[in-house]
Amino acid sequence: MVMNRKCIIRLSRYKNALKRLKSLGFVKVFSGNLADAAGVTSSQVRKDFSLFAITGNRRGGYRVDELIERISHILGKNELQKVVIVGMGNIGKALMRYRGFEAGGIKVLAGFDIDPAKYNKLAEIPILPLEDFREFVQSQGVRIAILAVPDVSAHHVSEIIISAGIKGILNFAPIQLRGAENVVVSSINLEVELENLIYFVNAGAKAEPEIEA
Amino acid sequence: MVMNRKCIIRLSRYKNALKRLKSLGFVKVFSGNLADAAGVTSSQVRKDFSLFAITGNRRGGYRVDELIERISHILGKNELQKVVIVGMGNIGKALMRYRGFEAGGIKVLAGFDIDPAKYNKLAEIPILPLEDFREFVQSQGVRIAILAVPDVSAHHVSEIIISAGIKGILNFAPIQLRGAENVVVSSINLEVELENLIYFVNAGAKAEPEIEA
DNA sequence: TGTCATAAGTTCTTTTTTTCACAACAGTTA
DNA sequence: TAACTGTTGTGAAAAAAAGAACTTATGACA
């Protein structure tokens, strides 16, 4: 099992590039095309593919459809992925309304908060009390949660949702969450992100920091 | 000039950890303390510091104040960093309202959109027409922009803001922006982020993907 | 003031990631 | 069918990053 995060990020990029190429009518691609589209080298593409035993045709490259299918499968995107959002502040609400997930096979089932003023149990995507979290995710089989609560409550809430059985947390709170055993935590920290950008801008970097997401 | 993004991310983490330690009353820290707080090894801390010629005291560790000062300087955070947000959709508006930036020395000067219904020139943080972008950023000396427009317009808008003199773009649009020469682009792609999480959850990863932000 | 303990700073080693280079192969053409 | 072209797949080399181990400085204390 490949545990190299950069490599997985590249897979996502390949998939997005392939979808674009497909919509342009491409049926086959060569490693070089894909490399250009994803901003890497062709060796890298072939090496990545070889890690996942993705194979093409020695003369004719890769079939776009097969590739998308294969990569989606590796990324677990063949089935609809159910997620919930915890914290209905600015970010949480924006993510609720964000319509970009559906195309990617990601379905936001519900939002959660502790503030009764935010509850809306009848909405298309309901907003429920945090007390209902455990029951909801267990009955729905949700394993992924997006955590968008204020930093002061982040640690506390993370413990609640982990104890409810959540296995993956996308954390927007600007603190370092220490996830439990076999709970994966990935953080998006806007301040860190901007600090990086500022550093590289000041450095006059031509080399763009390559890490997507 | 250090061009290793992971290293810069660690610097941000060190800074955050130091601020926490400072608020707890610490005056000095050892590489080991900082390593624990940031989730790395002490060698790594010392190695990172040596890359930036950050030096401590062979017996007494590092002075917290000096360290914060030094790292902030490296990250360009001694002066207030001015940013603008382009695109007043869900994400853009949420970022406008997000209050976490101020503590980090980041000041959102304005938002921009093409939809006149969104304009609000008199708000504390005004929302202005995109036509005013060039004049605004040039008169205010803004170099960093957050791009939160729909994917279809992302490329077009990125060209506009780059031509206006923007040097760093934090891109929320789910496409791969090809930045121009000496323009740094850093992307936050929620779908990619979630795909990663799903992969590592499915893989039953104990090793948390370490990349913050 | 000399010895000792400790933590920084540096060097060396190991591991990981990327790139290079080329053999194997499939389609194409004569 | 035989030569040729161009792309994959992989093994080896190179580069980059992380980690371990060692050396040296420094404050504390007798």
Side-chain angles (χ1 to χ4, degrees):
Chain A
M1 186 66 65
V2 179
M3 281 307 183
N4 179 341
R5 188 168 197 267
K6 273 203 195 169
C7 184
I8 307 301
I9 289 174
R10 284 197 300 267
L11 272 196
S12 281
R13 282 201 197 177
Y14 299 152
K15 179 168 66 62
N16 293 341
L18 284 163
K19 284 186 177 172
R20 218 161 46 239
L21 291 170
K22 180 179 177 177
S23 75
L24 263 59
F26 281 72
V27 174
K28 297 166 156 193
V29 281
F30 299 136
S31 55
N33 308 142
L34 205 45
D36 291 344
V40 297
T41 67
S42 62
S43 318
Q44 181 100 72
V45 172
R46 296 199 302 275
K47 177 70 85 176
D48 285 339
F49 285 2
S50 100
L51 289 175
F52 293 100
I54 293 174
T55 113
N57 181 309
R58 292 251 186 190
R59 188 77 192 289
Y62 307 84
R63 295 194 58 82
V64 172
D65 280 333
E66 279 176 26
L67 261 190
I68 293 176
E69 174 65 20
R70 195 93 176 65
I71 295 176
S72 295
H73 181 75
I74 292 166
L75 294 174
K77 293 298 273 327
N78 277 14
E79 49 196 283
L80 192 73
Q81 288 293 342
K82 296 173 281 191
V83 309
V84 292
I85 300 175
V86 183
M88 288 293 115
N90 292 326
I91 306 271
K93 278 187 291 186
L95 294 175
M96 284 286 267
R97 293 196 211 98
Y98 180 60
R99 291 281 161 256
F101 289 140
E102 280 150 29
I106 292 164
K107 172 81 178 165
V108 178
L109 292 189
F112 290 89
D113 207 291
I114 44 164
D115 178 1
K118 304 235 171 92
Y119 300 163
N120 184 352
K121 305 193 184 187
L122 303 173
E124 191 196 353
I125 304 175
I127 300 178
L128 307 171
L130 193 57
E131 293 93 65
D132 298 352
F133 187 82
R134 172 186 295 268
E135 199 203 319
F136 186 90
V137 300
Q138 286 178 357
S139 69
Q140 300 281 331
V142 177
R143 293 184 303 161
I144 310 281
I146 298 176
L147 189 63
V149 301
D151 50 357
V152 287
S153 31
H155 197 265
H156 177 61
V157 175
S158 77
E159 284 175 350
I160 292 174
I161 66 176
I162 287 172
S163 85
I166 286 295
K167 294 298 177 203
I169 299 176
L170 183 55
N171 170 44
F172 278 86
I175 68 157
Q176 181 91 356
L177 280 190
R178 282 251 157 279
E181 192 66 22
N182 40 20
V183 175
V184 187
V185 178
S186 186
S187 288
I188 292 179
N189 185 322
L190 294 171
E191 202 199 322
V192 169
E193 211 49 57
L194 282 170
E195 278 175 0
N196 262 259
L197 205 49
I198 292 164
Y199 176 87
F200 284 105
V201 167
N202 286 340
K206 66 222 61 191
E208 111 185 27
E210 73 292 332
I211 292 176
E212 162 129 2
Chain B
M1 187 65 65
V2 179
M3 280 308 181
N4 178 342
R5 190 168 194 265
K6 274 200 193 171
C7 183
I8 308 301
I9 289 174
R10 284 197 300 269
L11 272 195
S12 281
R13 281 201 197 177
Y14 298 152
K15 179 168 67 60
N16 293 340
L18 284 163
K19 285 187 176 171
R20 219 161 45 239
L21 292 170
K22 181 178 177 178
S23 75
L24 264 60
F26 280 72
V27 174
K28 296 168 158 191
V29 281
F30 300 133
S31 56
N33 308 140
L34 205 45
D36 291 345
V40 297
T41 67
S42 61
S43 309
Q44 181 99 73
V45 172
R46 297 201 298 276
K47 179 66 83 58
D48 285 340
F49 285 2
S50 101
L51 288 175
F52 294 101
I54 293 175
T55 105
N57 181 308
R58 292 251 188 188
R59 186 78 192 289
Y62 305 86
R63 296 194 58 81
V64 173
D65 280 335
E66 280 177 25
L67 261 192
I68 292 175
E69 173 67 21
R70 197 89 177 68
I71 294 176
S72 295
H73 181 74
I74 291 166
L75 294 174
K77 292 298 272 325
N78 277 16
E79 51 196 282
L80 193 74
Q81 286 293 340
K82 295 173 281 190
V83 309
V84 291
I85 300 175
V86 182
M88 289 294 116
N90 292 325
I91 306 270
K93 278 188 290 186
L95 294 175
M96 284 287 268
R97 294 196 210 100
Y98 181 59
R99 291 284 161 254
F101 289 141
E102 280 151 29
I106 292 164
K107 172 82 179 161
V108 178
L109 293 189
F112 290 88
D113 207 290
I114 44 161
D115 178 1
K118 304 237 171 89
Y119 300 163
N120 185 351
K121 306 193 183 185
L122 303 173
E124 191 195 353
I125 304 175
I127 300 178
L128 307 172
L130 192 58
E131 293 91 68
D132 298 353
F133 187 83
R134 172 187 294 269
E135 200 203 318
F136 186 92
V137 300
Q138 286 179 358
S139 68
Q140 299 280 333
V142 178
R143 293 184 305 161
I144 310 279
I146 299 176
L147 189 63
V149 301
D151 51 356
V152 286
S153 30
H155 196 265
H156 176 62
V157 176
S158 78
E159 284 176 348
I160 293 175
I161 66 177
I162 287 171
S163 86
I166 286 296
K167 294 298 179 203
I169 299 175
L170 183 54
N171 171 43
F172 278 85
I175 68 156
Q176 180 89 358
L177 280 190
R178 282 249 157 282
E181 193 66 22
N182 39 20
V183 174
V184 187
V185 178
S186 187
S187 288
I188 293 179
N189 185 323
L190 294 171
E191 202 199 324
V192 169
E193 213 46 60
L194 283 170
E195 278 175 0
N196 263 259
L197 206 49
I198 292 164
Y199 177 87
F200 284 105
V201 167
N202 285 340
K206 62 224 63 187
E208 112 183 26
E210 72 290 334
I211 293 176
E212 163 128 3

